[in-house]
Amino acid sequence: SQQGEEDPQALSIQEGENATMNCSYKTSINNLQWYRQNSGRGLVHLILIRSNEREKHSGRLRVTLDTSKKSSSLLITASRAADTASYFCATDPRLYSGGGADGLTFGKGTHLIIQP
Amino acid sequence: EAQVTQNPRYLITVTGKKLTVTCSQNMNHEYMSWYRQDPGLGLRQIYYSMNVEVTDKGDVPEGYKVSRKEKRNFPLILESPSPNQTSLYFCASRSGTVSYEQYFGPGTRLTVT
């Protein structure tokens, strides 16, 4: 069942600007992950934030997590044309590693267009 | 190079003709999954496997079968494909304990007429 919901569905900005995408989810999670997908291709893992973390950085990416609001945001700073892609949040509900049902629950994605 | 491979990448077939989409990973991952991606619906999990001979249903398993006879391979079988199975399919794998991130294959675009 779909849990993560990204907002906005689509975002178009100028190169060099910052892009912010949001994700809301419904149930408790172990971790939340963000993935990028270039048109029609496989998803690529960007960053993972655990439920006990509030913020994480990786290069030009900054992810925040607010478990009280069940929401996360992905910020891409100094955007580039190559950042044009769809971005998905995925929630992992497992409370322990190694056992139980597997599989991330993905949102429908935010389509980001960077105008040169 | 660590990767997940899928074959075929594109397939057009007719209703009722059995087909198999292969998936293989070279990372010795325990967990493997199949997803389908449809416009407006995002990615939905079809089946997953936690190890050899251990498989279970995801969110949309109807009309699909899987098997996990070897750790590296996780084929997706459509015994009698129907037009509503026209979709973009992704195989993914991850380590059981090291990391939760999933590695995705390049996708298989299936059209059933």
Side-chain angles (χ1 to χ4, degrees), chain A residues 9-65:
Chain A
Q9 290 187 342
L11 178 63
S12 179
I13 61 174
Q14 294 295 123
E15 193 167 21
E17 295 180 339
N18 296 340
T20 299
M21 288 158 271
N22 302 297
C23 170
S24 60
Y25 59 92
K26 296 174 184 170
T27 62
S28 297
I29 60 170
N30 174 285
N31 65 79
L32 185 145
Q33 303 176 34
W34 285 90
Y35 287 79
R36 184 187 73 225
Q37 183 183 32
N38 291 93
S39 181
R41 307 185 71 170
L43 280 74
V44 175
H45 181 266
L46 294 175
I47 195 166
L48 178 153
I49 186 166
R50 297 182 188 280
S51 60
N52 61 354
E53 298 175 311
R54 292 297 167 258
E55 188 171 311
K56 203 161 184 181
H57 295 255
S58 176
R60 293 184 295 113
L61 306 180
R62 172 178 166 252
V63 169
T64 62
L65 179 65

Side-chain angles (χ1 to χ4, degrees), chain B residues 6-110:
Chain B
Q6 295 179 228
N7 281 291
R9 295 289 314 279
Y10 302 90
L11 178 60
I12 301 174
T13 189
V14 295
T15 298
K17 186 176 182 181
K18 180 179 178 179
L19 66 93
T20 299
V21 184
T22 64
C23 172
S24 182
Q25 50 93 5
N26 62 1
M27 295 168 279
N28 202 37
H29 284 168
E30 289 82 5
Y31 288 77
M32 298 186 74
S33 293
W34 275 103
Y35 295 87
R36 61 178 289 175
Q37 185 177 28
D38 303 287
L41 296 177
L43 279 91
R44 294 177 292 168
Q45 191 184 46
I46 303 170
Y47 268 95
Y48 64 91
S49 169
M50 289 179 279
N51 215 322
V52 175
E53 303 291 3
V54 182
T55 63
D56 208 345
K57 297 176 181 178
D59 296 320
V60 288
E62 294 78 21
Y64 305 94
K65 286 175 57 178
V66 293
S67 69
R68 187 93 181 274
K69 293 183 169 54
E70 304 166 283
K71 196 172 187 180
R72 62 182 292 128
N73 295 324
F74 190 43
L76 178 69
I77 303 155
L78 284 71
E79 295 269 4
S80 183
S82 63
N84 65 12
Q85 293 178 298
T86 292
S87 187
L88 180 57
Y89 291 87
F90 290 101
C91 179
S93 73
R94 71 170 183 89
S95 168
T97 54
V98 174
S99 171
Y100 295 114
E101 69 175 90
Q102 297 216 8
Y103 292 80
F104 281 81
T108 294
R109 187 168 292 281
L110 171 65

